[in-house]
Amino acid sequence: MPLDRPLSFRAPVRGVNAKAEQAFGVYVHWPFCLSKCPYCDFNSHVRREPIDEPRFLNAFAAEIAATAARVPGRTVSSIFFGGGTPSLMAPETVGGILDAIAQHWSVAPGAEVTLEANPTSVEAGRFRGYRAAGVDRVSLGVQALDDAALAGLGRLHTAREALDAVAIARSIFPRSSFDLIYARPGQTPQAWREELTRAIGEAAEHLSLYQLTIEQETPFAALYAAGKLAIPDEEAARALYDLTQEVCAAHGLPAYEISNHARPGAESRHNLLYWRAGEYAGIGPGAHGRLDVAGERRATATERRPETWLMRVENIGHGVVTDEPLTREERADEFLLMGLRLVEGVDPEQFRKLSGRPIDPARLADLRGNGFIAFTPDGRLRVTHAGFPILDAIVADLAA
Ligand SMILES: C[S@@+](CC[C@H](N)C(=O)[O-])C[C@H]1O[C@@H](n2cnc3c(N)ncnc32)[C@H](O)[C@@H]1O
Ligand code: SF4
């Protein structure tokens, strides 16, 4: 889930009542892919040798046990297998990880269990295996519905194969979503309108629509720096963004977050937990967590390199390399940074409780006067459409 994407703000999220403070999520990172896409800076690795999945499963189970010992007694409301490409895992591995989670915490009835999948590795038999193991939601990396664009993104699948994967996912899982990347080189508004309209017709209930971002130290960054990759400029990207909002809203898939669109009630509960600053465990190589231990919110991160993480877990029982308490200020800033991505905005009173001070009324008045922020009738603070291009500046201003 890339984070730095443009914003859109509409009606508050409805139909999703799980309060962040009651929710507890488990993020599981599978760090392997069949090939590395040239735009991607996720913690994903390509290996020529087969992956020793039983060995990884043991390590995942050990790290789950170690984490549960730190935050016992939680009721898990959502689980997310992200990557990398979790759909390269055998269903037995996914099932074994879910068993380990259920062994150490209780899992709420109806907990959301999502698995990210790459169309290249979608196969009906394996998908049925995931479903039998307890996965109820799949998020597919479709990226584009245009074969030339897919080739340009270095993807190994065609648009037809991606749509076949979407159809398989929809036939096996009660819930599904897929990702598209827009503001691609040479993409015109008319072409994006047609592609998006087609995508909405294929989507069940949820779409993630990310603007192409040039991430540092990727092949795309090198091409871009060399002038060999032209992407839409700020104004053109903004126009594509506005178009995205218009088309999705007109088809009943309004934005509920900067890049995420859903039919009301079909929002990703796991991702909402992040944006609402809830508590979650990060399991596996390069996973981040936020744990409440002895009255403190702690930020955790594990070793990124899969083989080093594996050895670390085998030697000391977990792969955590960063484990730091957040100060009140850091926690409050994170609350604003994540929450203002949401259409529902944030409760300013919650900020006051976290930081020990209210948001500066003079700054609020200033930003409001400029039309960058607004208050909902129930007193929540949200960023307006005009404010979205400067979200980082707004957060920095409010947090200062
Ligand atoms: C971990 S990947 C999804 C699953 C799977 N690995 C795949 O690619 O099919 C998460 C999503 O992030 C998005 N993404 C990754 N890098 C991006 C970038 N530089 N700009 C925009 N979106 C990006 C893609 O849409 C991708 O589907
Ligand atoms: S398959 Fe997904 S995670 Fe892997 S490199 Fe491509 S975009 Fe990144």
Side-chain angles (χ1 to χ4, degrees):
M1 175 200 71
L3 288 181
D4 295 314
R5 308 286 180 238
L7 286 168
S8 152
F9 300 96
R10 290 176 195 277
V13 175
R14 280 185 298 269
V16 183
N17 296 321
K19 287 213 178 73
E21 56 266 30
Q22 292 159 354
F24 180 76
V26 180
Y27 175 78
V28 180
H29 192 79
W30 185 254
F32 302 111
C33 292
L34 285 181
S35 70
K36 185 81 192 173
C37 305
Y39 54 84
C40 176
D41 76 342
F42 281 76
N43 185 33
S44 60
H45 306 261
V46 179
R47 296 288 179 259
R48 257 180 294 175
E49 299 301 313
I51 309 300
D52 187 345
E53 289 198 35
R55 192 172 163 201
F56 269 91
L57 172 56
N58 282 338
F60 278 108
E63 189 159 77
I64 288 163
T67 311
R70 300 191 66 201
V71 286
R74 302 294 194 273
T75 300
V76 176
S77 48
S78 62
I79 299 167
F80 194 102
F81 290 89
T85 305
S87 54
L88 293 173
M89 278 193 264
E92 294 71 27
T93 309
V94 171
I97 293 171
L98 290 174
D99 286 347
I101 292 170
Q103 192 186 333
H104 294 283
W105 289 295
S106 46
V107 178
E112 177 186 273
V113 183
T114 305
L115 182 128
E116 274 183 350
N118 184 316
T120 313
S121 54
V122 170
E123 191 255 301
R126 207 169 50 241
F127 262 32
R128 279 194 205 96
Y130 298 141
R131 179 72 190 111
V135 173
D136 71 342
R137 184 174 180 274
V138 158
S139 172
L140 271 161
V142 168
Q143 320 308 5
L145 293 180
D146 174 282
D147 286 345
L150 286 168
L153 290 170
R155 301 291 290 185
L156 300 179
H157 55 86
T158 61
R160 184 69 264 155
E161 284 161 350
L163 289 178
D164 288 348
V166 169
I168 291 175
R170 289 186 66 170
S171 72
I172 294 175
F173 297 93
R175 302 183 58 200
S176 64
S177 173
F178 63 85
D179 300 350
L180 291 177
I181 297 178
Y182 71 100
R184 304 185 305 251
Q187 194 174 34
T188 63
Q190 187 51 28
W192 174 229
R193 182 186 285 280
E194 283 165 20
E195 186 177 1
L196 180 57
T197 306
R198 189 166 164 225
I200 293 170
E202 302 280 348
E205 54 166 29
H206 190 288
L207 276 179
S208 299
L209 303 170
Y210 301 118
Q211 277 196 15
L212 177 62
T213 305
I214 303 299
E215 303 288 357
Q216 280 176 16
E217 289 172 34
T218 58
F220 265 24
L223 286 173
Y224 184 70
K228 293 180 181 161
L229 183 76
I231 55 168
D233 64 17
E234 212 173 293
E235 204 181 313
R238 168 71 192 262
L240 291 170
Y241 173 78
D242 289 343
L243 183 73
T244 306
Q245 307 313 306
E246 175 213 314
V247 173
C248 285
H251 288 86
L253 279 179
Y256 66 100
E257 190 264 353
I258 299 168
S259 316
N260 283 277
H261 299 252
R263 303 200 189 287
E267 298 84 2
S268 159
R269 298 204 287 270
H270 186 82
N271 286 336
L272 275 176
L273 181 89
Y274 297 147
W275 298 317
R276 290 176 175 167
E279 185 185 25
Y280 57 95
I283 307 292
H288 291 253
R290 291 288 183 273
L291 300 178
D292 295 332
V293 182
E296 278 182 327
R297 168 61 57 102
R298 300 189 73 89
T300 67
T302 52
E303 161 63 40
R304 286 170 64 84
R305 200 175 159 268
E307 293 75 14
T308 314
W309 172 84
L310 191 60
M311 282 189 293
R312 206 177 162 88
V313 179
E314 287 173 348
N315 288 333
I316 62 171
H318 64 81
V320 175
V321 290
T322 303
D323 180 7
E324 287 161 358
L326 294 180
T327 63
R328 292 185 79 166
E329 285 297 318
E330 285 168 340
R331 199 169 168 189
D333 290 354
E334 197 167 273
F335 169 78
L336 277 188
L337 188 68
M338 299 304 277
L340 287 178
R341 298 171 58 93
L342 284 171
V343 169
E344 68 181 14
V346 298
D347 175 5
E349 180 56 18
Q350 186 66 14
F351 177 89
R352 194 193 58 74
K353 280 190 200 149
L354 289 170
S355 72
R357 64 173 176 87
I359 302 174
D360 184 349
R363 288 173 198 268
L364 282 177
D366 200 29
L367 289 168
R368 203 174 170 193
N370 286 317
F372 295 141
I373 60 165
F375 284 95
T376 63
D378 58 353
R380 294 178 72 86
L381 169 67
R382 64 177 186 86
V383 175
T384 62
H385 197 77
F388 85 77
I390 55 160
L391 174 69
D392 288 349
I394 292 174
V395 172
D397 199 15
L398 293 176

